[in-house]
Amino acid sequence: MCGGIINRFFTVMISSRSRGDSENSELKVTVKETRITVYMYSRQVIQRSFKMAAPIRKSVELFYDVVSPYSWLAFEVMCRYQQKWNIDLKLRPFFLSGIMQGVGFNQPGPSKASYMGKDLKRQTDMYKVPFKMPSNPAEVILIKGSLNAGRFLTAVDMNCDQYLEELTRQLFLRVYYRDEDITEPASLMSAAAKAGIPEDMAKQLLSTIKDQAVKDRLRETTQAALDHGAFGSPTIVAHVDGKPQMFFGSDRMELMAHMLGEKWYGPLPELAKAKM
Amino acid sequence: MAALRSRKVVELFYDVISPYSWVAFEVLCRYQTRWNIDLQLRPFFIGGVFKETGNKPPALLAAKYTYAQHDLRRLADFYKIPVKMPPMERLMRRENVNSNRLLTAVTLDCPEHLENLSRELWMRVMARDQDITEPASLETAATAAGIPSDTTPQLLSRIRDDDVKAALKDTTNQALAYGAFGAPTIVAHIEGTPVMIWGSDRFPLLAHLLGERWEGPLREMAKY
């Protein structure tokens, strides 16, 4: 060697630890050096060094209303998959009634309604979500509704969103596992407690649910879903190559995986979080 | 001596005017060589199902129709089936029943052609935006499906026969008896119990109920 600058190509194997699989990413780096020093790097150090080259997380928005049973299924599946896929899951509590007013609604006839009850049982069994149909689903969905619950979730989203996932889960468990109310303040406080929200914080948030800012935010989220073409709940919007892809329902997961360039592993019951 | 595992009967009730029925049809045709099933094709009349149940065709809700156009484009790519949502005028034609009656006649007279003719009718109305109501259209489809051209005129005349109309009504009523309210309607017979599944998005569940494995869209088996 005559002391000149030597260019070297190094191919660095980086394990994608966050993806939970053994797939490796390749990164080609040109290094100019006059001296070659060999270091043994740990996987974590390499990951930290090349953080800028890590693939950008894809944004996936889940618009949901806790009064919608298929939304619980989609919610639990997405919560499991945010650990497996390179996605940034954004929970967007909205108001299903507002959607139905916006685009219309065909109420299912008796044979379809009967089928949906059986379908929910089979799907939630397969996915290990502890679903139980309430004694009067029409009253739960059409009469009692979810306005206060939607506003409470919105207030939590605005102020302390670290609790949003668990509060969502606790509200679903109330209505679709224990057949309990989700409209009264005491009901919402109970769900908040189970979600780990400190009591005084929960009380404060509850006092804001009739504030204009909270109402407006819930309305905006609902409008955002409508703008994506939503007509029901759940509505999932995956941002793929800069384009929003809207999926309705809880049964387009495998297709969504295909479009996100991710692998579909099925129900993943071992990652289930909803406890009875 | 090992006991023979008898094939589980899986009935597919479908209407060729239903795009999601085509998806279910192709998937089940692919899986009949993978799963221990006896796939039985049951062409029925979706119009009769809507009338009896009061269920509304989803296309009547504008937001659902728009979504379905988009959804089917993605599913076409995912499953490698050239399906497209037909324009509303084609979906709503009363004469669509002619294609259902033709398929019923084939079921009665020459069932070996049922799969090919069903596929050809879907290709016409979904992939090529072609008519499936006029006698000339149906004759072209029958020939393209491999039905000998000397037998097609007789087959087409069967569309008006009472036994064919009655058989179509009967198949539709069978689906209704299973609780059908739309298309496709899949009925899997599991240990003597019929399990009705609606739509083309429950295949992993169907696999689970049949004790089989869902291996995805199997695009390599596409006929296109």
Side-chain angles (χ1 to χ4, degrees), chain B residues 30-169:
Chain B
R30 292 171 195 177
Y31 273 87
Q32 70 181 328
T33 61
R34 296 268 174 143
W35 291 347
N36 194 32
I37 60 171
D38 172 17
L39 176 63
Q40 293 178 3
L41 300 177
R42 300 257 185 270
F44 76 165
F45 178 41
I46 191 61
V49 173
F50 289 142
K51 187 159 173 268
E52 280 306 309
T53 61
N55 193 34
K56 299 265 183 303
L60 289 183
L61 203 60
K64 277 196 180 177
Y65 181 75
T66 303
Y67 174 74
Q69 286 176 305
H70 195 54
D71 187 45
L72 285 164
R73 253 178 256 129
R74 293 187 299 215
L75 291 173
D77 179 61
F78 182 69
Y79 283 107
K80 205 149 175 272
I81 302 169
V83 63
K84 272 186 290 224
M85 176 61 88
M88 281 293 273
E89 317 84 66
R90 283 216 200 279
L91 281 177
M92 296 299 151
R93 293 199 70 192
R94 282 181 63 240
E95 295 85 357
N96 285 331
V97 73
N98 292 339
S99 61
N100 307 126
R101 287 184 181 153
L102 178 63
L103 288 170
T104 303
V106 166
T107 306
L108 294 171
D109 298 353
C110 49
E112 67 275 14
H113 294 294
L114 182 57
E115 183 180 326
N116 284 348
L117 181 58
S118 302
R119 183 171 289 122
E120 183 54 33
L121 287 168
W122 270 307
M123 282 296 291
R124 284 185 68 85
V125 71
M126 305 273 159
R128 304 188 214 117
D129 193 22
Q130 291 173 329
D131 174 74
I132 53 164
T133 65
E134 301 286 319
S137 310
L138 297 175
E139 175 142 19
T140 306
T143 306
I147 297 172
S149 41
D150 53 344
T151 61
T152 53
Q154 203 270 330
L155 195 61
L156 284 174
S157 71
R158 298 274 283 132
I159 292 173
R160 289 180 293 279
D161 288 352
D162 287 338
D163 68 320
V164 169
K165 291 181 186 180
L168 178 60
K169 205 165 268 163

Side-chain angles (χ1 to χ4, degrees), chain A residues 70 103-106 111-112 115 119 122-123 126 229 231 245-248 251-252 254-255 258-259, chain B residues 20 53 56 61 63-64 67 70-71 74 77-78 181 195-198 201-202 205 208 214 216 219:
Chain A
Y70 287 103
V103 299
F105 172 63
N106 288 332
S111 47
K112 187 171 186 181
Y115 171 79
D119 183 54
R122 290 190 291 241
Q123 287 282 87
M126 199 168 86
F231 51 84
Q245 289 285 344
M246 189 277 271
F247 299 90
F248 167 66
D251 44 29
R252 286 289 178 274
E254 193 181 355
L255 174 66
H258 174 76
M259 298 187 76
Chain B
Y20 292 101
T53 61
K56 299 265 183 303
L61 203 60
K64 277 196 180 177
Y67 174 74
H70 195 54
D71 187 45
R74 293 187 299 215
D77 179 61
F78 182 69
F181 51 84
V195 178
M196 187 278 275
I197 288 171
W198 167 61
D201 33 38
R202 288 288 178 274
L205 176 71
H208 177 73
W214 170 245
R219 282 185 290 271

